[in-house]
Amino acid sequence: MNIDQLVLSITPEVYERLQYGAATGKWPDGSPLSEQQKEQTVQLVMLYQAKVLKSDEQFTVGADGQLVQKSKKELKQQFKAENEIARFSENDL
């Protein structure tokens, strides 16, 4: 199994466990990750975000493995008023 197949076989539940381990240095059951596990877990999380989630956050890793940074214009477009459900002024509350 190559790395792409491995990443594509990760379920959302397994991804959440990997993400927790990468963020805390521990598995959800509390057992610590070794240094090698930490490195591999971070790499798997980044690969999953790049290849499966295709994350829309400002800083991500692209499918080609390169760091992707959205410009201010792209971020403004993403969060522009059309995407809002409602807008209230201070006096409306």
Side-chain angles (χ1 to χ4, degrees):
M1 177 183 293
N2 69 31
I3 194 71
D4 285 337
Q5 291 171 325
L6 173 66
V7 171
L8 293 175
S9 71
I10 295 174
T11 64
E13 294 80 19
V14 170
Y15 169 71
E16 286 181 24
R17 291 176 53 85
L18 291 168
Q19 191 176 34
Y20 181 87
T24 65
K26 297 186 267 184
W27 294 118
D29 68 1
S31 58
L33 280 72
S34 69
E35 284 304 312
Q36 184 179 13
Q37 286 175 321
K38 286 178 191 175
E39 289 176 24
Q40 292 171 344
T41 300
V42 168
Q43 290 173 2
L44 278 171
V45 166
M46 289 172 43
L47 283 167
Y48 187 88
Q49 289 173 341
K51 298 209 178 270
V52 177
L53 295 181
K54 298 186 181 4
S55 180
D56 63 352
E57 302 205 10
Q58 183 178 8
F59 297 100
T60 58
V61 177
D64 59 359
Q66 298 297 312
L67 184 63
V68 176
Q69 179 180 357
K70 288 190 176 180
S71 68
K72 190 182 263 188
K73 181 179 178 180
E74 290 171 314
L75 289 170
K76 283 182 178 180
Q77 183 68 25
Q78 179 180 342
F79 296 112
K80 70 182 192 181
E82 295 176 23
N83 297 330
E84 294 178 1
I85 294 171
R87 181 177 288 265
F88 298 97
S89 71
E90 185 177 335
N91 298 330
D92 293 337
L93 300 175

